[in-house]
């Protein structure tokens, strides 16, 4: 301990950088981009189904410009065809007829490298009052998409159901509930005092799956799904009321039908089911992987770098 303290004191006298560590907590928002929140409508997709995020982290600052961080984040993402598209601006979008929705609680562990655009001073006490940084790395996310049961309001896990025929002969195997992600983003930092910082951070997560929302490919063939409980979650285009909020879809589907029916409007729910038929497209085509984004505020505390020995008695 005496050697370590003496080495740090010598480094400070010589002007060399003294590494230090921080621990932090953060809270913020989460947004999802995928088959129910298209990339072509970034504002609507970002704010239309905004949810929450929270996390803890440990950061080691190795040089004035480079640090590494390990973090655990817990967040919820969600999507809903009706909520996203039942607006006058988007009421002609055929995804309104699909009637799908989901929510997914994510448990993410990541390790990222941090590059400081504004370097630190020779130790944490001499860091700049303001800072900006970029980060990128690797992570793992455990997820489990669910949808709401119309009858009793319970949330049902979708992956075991195989809503697109997963696990059936001739179909893909069930998708994994643990996925690799690539976190990338930027942040701004403000020095509160010698040991406390606050930062605002925006981070995208690029994934290797299209099933965060349980939607990716085509509807299974009529003979592939025989369980009524699976069928009702696989294709919800014929439901009159939205499962999440209990909103009547009749008016919205009637308007949607009028855009393409040339005035010959029939049963809007039959029209919706004709658009979402067995073997037809259920997800985006061509398929693109889902992504999500965290916007978080972190409060970080700098751990003491000196080792203090208790007095001898």
């Amino acid at each position: 301990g005496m050697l370590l303290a003496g080495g740090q004191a010598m480094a400070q006298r010589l002007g060399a950088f003294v590494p230090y560590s921080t621990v932090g907590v953060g809270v913020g928002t989460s947004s999802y981009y995928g088959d129910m929140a298209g990339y072509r409508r970034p504002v609507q997709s970002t704010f239309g189904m905004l949810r929450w995020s929270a996390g803890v982290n440990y950061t080691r600052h190795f040089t004035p410009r480079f640090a590494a961080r390990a973090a655990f984040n817990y967040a919820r993402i969600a999507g809903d065809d009706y909520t996203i598209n039942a607006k006058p601006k988007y009421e002609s979008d055929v995804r309104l007829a699909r009637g799908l929705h989901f929510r997914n609680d994510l448990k993410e562990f990541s390790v990222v490298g941090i590059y400081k655009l504004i370097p630190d001073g020779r130790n944490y006490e001499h860091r700049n009052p303001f800072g900006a940084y970029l980060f990128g790395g690797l992570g793992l996310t455990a997820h489990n998409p669910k949808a709401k049961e119309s009858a009793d309001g319970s949330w049902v896990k979708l992956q075991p159901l195989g809503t697109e025929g997963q696990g059936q002969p001739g179909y893909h195997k069930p998708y994994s509930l643990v996925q690799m992600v690539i976190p990338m983003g930027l942040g701004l930092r403000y020095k509160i005092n010698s040991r406390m910082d606050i930062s605002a951070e925006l981070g995208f997560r690029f994934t290797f799956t299209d099933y965060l929302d349980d939607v990716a490919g085509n509807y299974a063939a009529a003979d592939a799904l025989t369980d009524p409980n699976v069928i009702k979650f696989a294709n919800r285009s014929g439901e009159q009321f939205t499962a999440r909020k209990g909103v009547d879809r009749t008016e919205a589907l009637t308007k949607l039908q009028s855009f393409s029916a040339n005035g010959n409007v029939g049963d809007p729910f039959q029209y919706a089911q004709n658009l979402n038929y067995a073997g037809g497209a259920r997800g985006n085509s061509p398929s693109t992987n889902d992504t999500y984004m965290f916007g978080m505020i972190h409060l970080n505390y700098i751990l003491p770098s000196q080792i203090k020995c208790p007095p001898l008695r």
Side-chain angles (χ1 to χ4, degrees):
M2 293 173 62
L3 290 174
L4 179 61
Q8 290 178 341
M10 179 66 71
Q12 292 186 33
R13 287 197 297 270
L14 296 177
F17 180 77
V18 180
Y20 64 96
S21 300
T22 66
V23 292
V25 296
V27 294
T29 63
S30 65
S31 300
Y32 139 86
Y33 308 92
D35 296 88
M36 298 185 204
Y39 298 99
R40 295 183 180 180
R41 286 153 43 180
V43 175
Q44 176 71 358
S45 297
T46 300
F47 299 103
M49 292 288 291
L50 203 65
R51 291 298 183 266
W52 49 265
S53 61
V56 295
N57 65 77
Y58 169 82
T59 305
R60 181 65 175 173
H61 299 259
F62 296 104
T63 74
R65 284 196 180 272
F66 179 73
R69 180 176 70 194
F72 175 78
N73 293 312
Y74 184 49
R76 174 171 292 175
I77 57 174
D80 189 320
D81 283 334
Y82 184 86
T83 300
I84 292 293
N85 297 296
K87 305 286 193 300
K89 187 177 181 179
Y90 306 115
E91 60 187 3
S92 61
D93 194 313
V94 294
R95 286 176 293 187
L96 183 64
R98 187 173 56 182
L100 295 176
H101 72 276
F102 84 102
R103 80 177 188 192
N104 199 341
D105 291 343
L106 310 177
K107 293 165 279 293
E108 175 197 271
F109 176 78
S110 64
V111 177
V112 301
I114 298 174
Y115 178 75
K116 306 171 192 177
L117 300 176
I118 302 175
D120 284 338
R122 65 179 183 270
N123 56 43
Y124 66 84
E125 292 183 340
H126 290 83
R127 68 193 186 280
N128 283 286
F130 293 94
Y133 57 91
L134 305 174
F135 67 88
L138 290 173
L140 289 175
T141 292
H143 73 108
N144 202 352
K146 299 178 182 180
K148 198 171 187 178
E149 166 68 68
S150 299
D152 59 11
S154 62
W155 286 90
V156 177
K157 298 176 182 178
L158 296 172
Q159 189 256 16
L161 300 180
T163 54
E164 293 183 358
Q166 297 97 332
Q168 301 296 326
Y171 292 87
H172 294 295
K173 65 180 182 179
Y175 53 86
S176 174
L177 296 180
V178 178
Q179 295 290 336
M180 181 178 290
V181 298
I182 300 177
M184 299 179 65
L186 53 87
L188 297 173
R189 177 193 59 80
Y190 173 70
K191 177 181 177 182
I192 300 176
N193 56 42
S194 63
R195 288 199 179 276
M196 297 289 291
D197 285 342
I198 189 170
S199 62
E201 192 171 286
L202 197 64
F204 289 90
R205 269 63 174 177
F206 299 92
T207 78
F208 296 87
T209 180
D210 195 18
Y211 282 106
L212 292 183
D213 48 20
D214 191 63
V215 180
N218 295 334
Y219 287 100
D223 58 350
L225 302 181
T226 57
D227 186 341
N229 189 54
V230 176
I231 294 173
K232 69 181 179 182
F233 284 101
N235 190 335
R236 311 191 74 153
S237 58
E239 295 183 1
Q240 180 178 354
F241 297 95
T242 63
R244 287 183 62 250
K245 301 293 184 180
V247 179
D248 193 335
R249 301 169 65 221
T250 304
E251 181 180 355
L253 292 180
T254 300
K255 288 183 179 180
L256 177 64
Q257 186 180 15
S258 68
F259 287 111
S260 58
N262 298 321
N264 185 21
V265 178
D267 182 355
F269 297 99
Q270 184 60 54
Y271 169 75
Q273 290 176 302
N274 291 340
L275 290 177
N276 297 274
Y277 56 91
R282 188 171 186 258
N284 293 337
S285 182
S287 180
T288 55
N289 289 337
D290 299 331
T291 62
Y292 57 97
M293 180 179 71
F294 293 157
M296 300 185 74
I297 301 295
H298 291 104
L299 188 64
N300 301 306
Y301 173 72
I302 298 174
L303 297 173
S305 57
Q306 293 82 12
I307 299 176
K308 296 182 180 180
C309 299
L312 297 176
R313 300 190 180 201

